[in-house]
């Protein structure tokens, strides 16, 4: 190289221009790196037992999912009153559309059970979601625990929502009130 300073300055200016361009590149030009996956969860208010949960909830929901176009694999796990499904789709499938379609089917399925006895939710897998989630709290104990019964769920939800930086608070479960 006959002119090392000129060559160095030329390469430094190209690198600087690339760094400036990269920071100002709109996000829409980045490829979608989310996997073609979605999931759903089903909560039943009262424990059914594992066999009954499988027979009445897991198998019917799994067959609904299998009928969706573009489904490659389904993984299901569950317990006495809840089950989770992970669904892998074909690449190129519009995951958001499939989530809406599955949620509509889950809502129809939920209506076959007594009102307010089941909660069903379909959702897309989103890598950025993990960055937003900061905390999950579970209060677990026997149903007759006086400390758990004394917790005012609405007040707890309100107080957690008032914390700076908290975007959403969701409360599941709890003891039912009977009149």
């Amino acid at each position: 190289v006959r002119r090392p300073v000129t060559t160095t300055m030329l390469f430094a200016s190209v690198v600087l221009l690339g760094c400036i361009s990269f920071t100002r590149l709109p996000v829409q030009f980045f490829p979608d790196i989310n996997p073609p996956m979605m999931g759903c969860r089903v909560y039943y208010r009262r424990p059914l037992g594992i066999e009954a949960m499988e027979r009445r909830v897991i198998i019917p929901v799994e067959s609904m999912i299998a009928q969706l176009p573009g489904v490659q694999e389904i993984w299901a796990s569950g317990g006495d009153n809840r089950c989770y499904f992970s669904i892998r789709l074909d690449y190129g499938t519009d995951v958001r559309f499939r989530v809406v379609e599955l949620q509509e089917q889950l809502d129809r399925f939920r209506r076959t059970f007594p009102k307010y006895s089941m909660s069903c939710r379909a959702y897309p897998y989103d890598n950025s979601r993990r960055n937003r989630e900061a905390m999950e709290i579970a209060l677990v104990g026997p149903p007759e625990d006086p400390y758990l019964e004394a917790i005012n769920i609405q007040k707890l939800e309100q107080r957690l929502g008032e914390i700076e930086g908290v975007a959403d608070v969701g409360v599941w479960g709890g003891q039912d009130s009977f009149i």
Side-chain angles (χ1 to χ4, degrees), residues 94-161:
D94 188 351
V95 176
R96 293 173 295 175
F97 180 72
R98 292 292 171 253
V99 167
V100 170
E101 193 175 354
L102 179 58
Q103 186 64 53
E104 289 172 354
Q105 290 182 7
L106 288 171
D107 289 340
R108 282 194 298 275
F109 176 71
R110 181 177 43 89
R111 286 188 213 107
T112 64
F113 287 85
K115 196 171 188 179
Y116 304 118
S117 65
M118 181 182 288
S119 168
C120 305
R121 181 168 175 259
Y123 51 90
Y125 281 156
D126 183 4
N127 289 338
S128 64
R129 182 174 172 239
R130 298 209 185 272
N131 296 333
R132 292 191 307 259
E133 290 180 354
M135 180 171 47
E136 187 174 308
I137 299 173
L139 301 174
V140 181
E144 55 282 331
D145 188 345
Y147 295 108
L148 288 177
E149 289 178 8
I151 294 174
N152 183 335
I153 299 296
Q154 286 79 22
K155 190 171 184 177
L156 176 66
E157 193 170 7
Q158 178 187 1
R159 300 265 320 263
L160 288 172

Side-chain angles (χ1 to χ4, degrees), residues 2-175:
R2 282 186 271 173
R3 298 176 185 241
V5 174
T6 306
T7 305
T8 304
M9 293 306 289
L10 179 67
F11 280 108
S13 62
V14 168
V15 169
L16 180 64
L17 182 63
C19 290
I20 291 171
S21 298
F22 180 74
T23 59
R24 295 181 184 202
L25 186 66
V27 175
Q28 65 192 21
F29 293 136
F30 289 127
D32 182 19
I33 59 170
N34 289 321
M37 293 186 71
M38 64 182 192
C40 75
R41 63 178 180 232
V42 178
Y43 292 106
Y44 199 77
R45 180 171 287 188
R46 304 265 183 251
L48 291 175
I50 294 173
E51 292 84 14
M53 188 70 173
E54 182 179 15
R55 187 179 63 256
R56 293 181 62 195
V57 178
I58 294 175
I59 292 174
V61 171
E62 200 170 37
S63 67
M64 280 191 308
I65 294 168
Q67 293 174 10
L68 291 173
V71 171
Q72 280 190 350
E73 286 183 280
I74 304 168
W75 298 276
S77 64
D80 283 345
N81 67 336
R82 65 188 170 279
C83 55
Y84 304 96
F85 298 89
S86 294
I87 305 131
R88 188 168 59 134
L89 303 167
D90 293 330
Y91 278 95
T93 302
D94 188 351
V95 176
R96 293 173 295 175
F97 180 72
R98 292 292 171 253
V99 167
V100 170
E101 193 175 354
L102 179 58
Q103 186 64 53
E104 289 172 354
Q105 290 182 7
L106 288 171
D107 289 340
R108 282 194 298 275
F109 176 71
R110 181 177 43 89
R111 286 188 213 107
T112 64
F113 287 85
K115 196 171 188 179
Y116 304 118
S117 65
M118 181 182 288
S119 168
C120 305
R121 181 168 175 259
Y123 51 90
Y125 281 156
D126 183 4
N127 289 338
S128 64
R129 182 174 172 239
R130 298 209 185 272
N131 296 333
R132 292 191 307 259
E133 290 180 354
M135 180 171 47
E136 187 174 308
I137 299 173
L139 301 174
V140 181
E144 55 282 331
D145 188 345
Y147 295 108
L148 288 177
E149 289 178 8
I151 294 174
N152 183 335
I153 299 296
Q154 286 79 22
K155 190 171 184 177
L156 176 66
E157 193 170 7
Q158 178 187 1
R159 300 265 320 263
L160 288 172
E162 291 172 353
I163 297 172
E164 185 178 338
V166 172
D168 186 34
V169 176
V171 177
W172 290 92
Q175 188 73 18

